[in-house]
Amino acid sequence: MERPAWAPEGVDMTQASPARMYDALLGGSHNFEVDRQAAEMAKKLVPDLPRVALSNRAFLRRAVRFLVDSGVRQFLDIGSGIPTAGNVHEIAQELDPQCRVLYADIDPVAVTHARTILSGNDRADAFEADLRKPADLLERAKATGLIDVDQPVGVLLVAVLHLVADEERPGELVSALHDAVPPGSFVAISHLTSATRPEDAAKLGNNAAQQNKIGIHFRSRPDITAFFDAWTLVEPGVVELPQWRPESDRDQHETPGRSLGLAGVGRKD
Ligand SMILES: C[S@@+](CC[C@H](N)C(=O)[O-])C[C@H]1O[C@@H](n2cnc3c(N)ncnc32)[C@H](O)[C@@H]1O
């Protein structure tokens, strides 16, 4: 199996990764056979899964626009994924070209591809980092010079916390980020949930663990809401993905009451 030019050296092409599986679900081209097979298998179990991914991307776009409208001009996008249409820097810089965006991801394919796309954009960058080591991530984010922690930051944790196990204390990671940013900052979170379709959630979670050795943690509504404990939730609170400040019918990829994701935005007062 030959390594494609976009894949960084040393990447394991025999093991599916969440970033590349998600890219495959969205119809992207930065994934390997093993990722496509994993995505196909997941789609067999839950055929509308690509709609969940689209719905999540639509939430991300609306949340970024909301944050820019709320005065945020710098974004730290953690678990940013493999760039696809409608990336955070495109949305934010279209509204205000002064917006700065720093992408962080644990997956080297995601970071390499982001850097390629961002070359020539001196207000956006990407680096490899682990959300589970927030002190290190924040230190390195500051060192890039793109994020000024004396100014409000838009922290994006979009479809990433469900990849962190309970034992890794995801709530404490969100709290550490809260403590690191000044008042006026926001966090946007989306998360796969067991609240709406528990059977589908269980099927996908078990399949990911058994077939791909990937831990996906579908959480309950109270568990997801608890991530905002230190923040002030903005309206409409924690809701299904398509219900968070919908803008147009084109955003409505999932049937109301059946979204596999919940989302919310919190402000630091
Ligand atoms: C489902 S994708 C979401 C991508 C993007 N945020 C979106 O919503 O479209 C999840 C991303 O989180 C990344 N990720 C998983 N665990 C992580 C960790 N501990 N630290 C940083 N990134 C992580 C994966 O590599 C993947 O790119």
Side-chain angles (χ1 to χ4, degrees):
M1 206 172 3
E2 203 173 310
R3 178 169 58 88
W6 49 261
E9 227 173 288
V11 65
D12 183 354
M13 292 168 57
T14 64
Q15 164 69 46
S17 92
R20 298 190 314 259
M21 263 182 79
Y22 181 69
D23 181 61
L25 280 176
L26 283 167
S29 54
H30 292 79
N31 46 72
F32 304 132
E33 184 57 31
V34 66
D35 305 305
R36 291 188 285 279
Q37 278 175 7
E40 278 309 313
M41 179 65 173
K43 270 194 317 198
K44 275 202 184 108
L45 295 173
V46 176
D48 64 346
L49 197 54
R51 290 183 160 273
V52 185
L54 289 172
S55 191
N56 180 60
R57 291 297 295 180
F59 161 72
L60 172 65
R61 285 194 287 276
R62 298 194 302 274
V64 170
R65 283 199 286 266
F66 172 79
L67 297 193
V68 175
D69 283 350
S70 306
V72 171
R73 291 294 178 273
Q74 46 174 1
F75 293 85
L76 179 56
D77 183 0
I78 306 176
S80 45
I82 294 172
T84 171
N87 292 300
V88 173
H89 69 283
E90 292 163 335
I91 303 157
Q93 291 177 348
E94 188 180 74
L95 294 173
D96 183 346
Q98 297 303 318
C99 286
R100 299 187 306 279
V101 179
L102 185 57
Y103 295 106
D105 202 286
I106 202 169
D107 188 308
V109 169
V111 175
T112 304
H113 185 46
R115 289 207 133 148
T116 307
I117 283 186
L118 295 172
S119 66
N121 187 333
D122 58 9
R123 293 202 175 87
D125 202 356
F127 71 119
E128 210 175 305
D130 188 342
L131 166 63
R132 296 166 302 178
K133 297 176 184 154
D136 172 67
L137 187 150
L138 286 161
E139 203 50 49
R140 289 172 47 224
K142 282 187 238 172
T144 63
L146 272 182
I147 300 291
D148 173 1
V149 284
D150 293 327
Q151 298 297 322
V153 183
V155 178
L156 307 176
L157 293 168
V158 178
V160 62
L161 284 168
H162 51 235
L163 297 167
V164 178
D166 287 347
E167 308 80 73
E168 295 169 318
R169 304 193 175 275
E172 288 178 16
L173 305 177
V174 183
S175 294
L177 293 165
H178 174 271
D179 294 349
V181 293
S185 296
F186 288 83
V187 69
I189 295 176
S190 69
H191 199 297
L192 286 170
T193 187
S194 51
T196 47
R197 292 155 61 181
E199 284 170 16
D200 284 343
K203 275 195 265 182
L204 287 170
N206 291 338
N207 176 63
Q210 283 157 18
Q211 301 293 323
N212 308 311
K213 302 188 204 75
I214 294 173
I216 304 184
H217 310 279
F218 287 75
R219 293 196 167 93
S220 67
R221 190 180 289 266
D223 284 350
I224 295 169
T225 305
F227 289 134
F228 293 96
D229 275 355
W231 308 77
T232 301
L233 264 173
V234 306
E235 287 297 321
V238 174
V239 292
E240 289 182 34
L241 286 167
Q243 289 166 351
W244 196 88
R245 296 181 180 244
E247 287 171 0
S248 88
D249 287 349
R250 277 180 300 150
D251 265 6
Q252 300 298 306
H253 300 284
E254 293 175 285
T255 312
R258 286 184 58 77
S259 174
L260 271 177
L262 297 182
V265 171
R267 187 181 58 245
K268 178 165 174 174
D269 291 327

